[in-house]
Amino acid sequence: MFYKSKKWLKTGLIGLASVLVIGGCSSGNDSDAIEVFSNKSESTEIYKEIIKDFEKENPEIDIKLSAPPEAETVLKTRMTKNDLPEIMSIGGNATYGELARAGVLHDFSGTELEKQIQPAYIKMVGDLVGEEKEGTFGLPYATNANAVIYNKDLMNELGLEVPETWDEFIKTLEVAKENDITPIYFTLKDSWTGMIPWNSIAANSAGEDFAEKKNAGKASFQEEYDPVADKMLTLLEYGHGKNFDYGYADGNKAFANGESLYYLQGNWAIPEIKKVNPDVNLGVFAMPVTNEPSENKLVSGVDVLLTVSEEASENEDVMKFVEYMMNDERAQKYIDDQKAFSALEGVYQEDPVFEGIKSNFEEGQLTSFPDHYYPSGMQAANLIQEFLIKKEKEKFLKKMDSEWEKVQNR
């Protein structure tokens, strides 16, 4: 989940007391069990299955899986209490960077485990940590992608082909609208869903080095993000009229039932859509943000990385489970279940629904999630949601700058 991890963007009043601890098949005392902490509720079942297999092969080792709501908050709180889980399965975002810089994570640099990973993803997590602390403090495991999910039957009915430029994309939206078909099913009641088109547009038009320049005082949202904001407002014109009344679950159901041509989501939505309608005929493509096809890249990032607390790194049983997870067979099993992509060399997602973005991975036409480099306390999703409601572009861009600086100066 999530592009980031999307659950981390959801707000709520769930306290630490509600932390969900899900046992594997352990028969031992939980106090002696190795904890695997996950930020993704969607992956709970596949983790339980993998843990069960591991414990069967290693009966002397007990594993417990914890998947708490508000996982990012829980993890930061536990870090302040010097109580980090032994093994963490978390997103590749700013929080990971904070943990790595704090020196509480094991460095996998130069290990055989690191060598299994595609270099592009090693670089992505390295950029999150920054130059001040060199090392690979997490192993990219599963990756995700923002895409335009489309209904193939509706596409054929309208006589449309997959667009390769921004102008062609807008033309397909117009054709759908003219034929009384909702072009895009927005689910902006859940603010994080606005980050899907935002990241696609920003990554392909504001530059991959924006965060670095912003922190150096050499860039601003007001200067670089004006066209991003304009394109977001353009897309909003092609929604269903109640763009802020429905959330992610509503959108999955509606899109599965053929209520729109496009759905702007990540690969994680595919299993949820298929649960509603297993027969829906889906395809995906990278949003064409510019009018130069060769410049349009697929936004892909580290959805899951595996890391180990520095204190637990000497525990052979801990490393044994990490090595078990990093086996190609387990990596394949995980991405097949989650409809994700693998960060490991030689492990591929073969589901035909992803045919439209396969070449992006093969040819390296990839770029990372811009918001993974935004300060974690900035609450960008909420600011963007507010902008899309009020449509006050200049005020919004100025606020994005000020909120960034406010968090950085704490």
Side-chain angles (χ1 to χ4, degrees), residues 45-182:
E45 292 305 315
I46 187 61
Y47 262 127
K48 288 169 69 175
E49 190 175 326
I50 291 172
I51 288 170
K52 181 179 179 180
D53 292 341
F54 175 80
E55 290 183 333
K56 187 175 180 180
E57 292 183 23
N58 302 274
E60 75 285 359
I61 303 175
D62 291 332
I63 304 288
K64 69 174 181 179
L65 174 66
S66 61
E70 304 298 322
E72 184 172 11
T73 300
V74 172
L75 202 56
K76 288 182 178 180
T77 300
R78 290 184 61 172
M79 181 179 74
T80 64
K81 295 181 178 180
N82 196 28
D83 180 38
L84 279 180
E86 289 94 342
I87 300 170
M88 287 154 276
S89 169
I90 58 177
N93 65 2
T95 295
Y96 159 73
E98 290 176 22
L99 292 170
R101 288 191 296 274
V104 296
L105 303 180
H106 177 65
D107 186 1
F108 291 92
S109 298
T111 65
E112 291 302 313
L113 293 176
E114 183 195 44
K115 293 174 184 176
Q116 292 179 237
I117 300 164
Q118 297 178 51
Y121 292 112
I122 291 291
K123 182 181 183 304
M124 281 185 192
V125 296
D127 289 344
L128 289 167
V129 179
E131 296 180 356
E132 59 205 80
K133 192 172 182 65
E134 293 185 4
T136 301
F137 302 96
L139 301 167
Y141 189 66
T143 68
N144 55 18
N146 280 354
V148 179
I149 307 174
Y150 67 99
N151 185 308
K152 285 188 174 182
D153 293 337
L154 286 178
M155 199 79 143
N156 292 334
E157 182 182 317
L158 294 170
L160 298 173
E161 295 183 355
V162 171
E164 295 184 357
T165 68
W166 174 259
D167 287 347
E168 290 176 1
F169 183 47
I170 297 301
K171 184 177 180 179
T172 65
L173 299 175
E174 286 287 348
V175 170
K177 194 172 184 179
E178 290 166 2
N179 285 273
D180 297 321
I181 293 172
T182 298

Side-chain angles (χ1 to χ4, degrees), residues 269-289:
I270 300 290
E272 303 303 311
I273 295 167
K274 291 279 192 176
K275 284 178 187 176
V276 179
N277 181 3
D279 298 322
V280 64
N281 192 9
L282 303 178
V284 300
F285 61 87
M287 182 187 291
V289 174

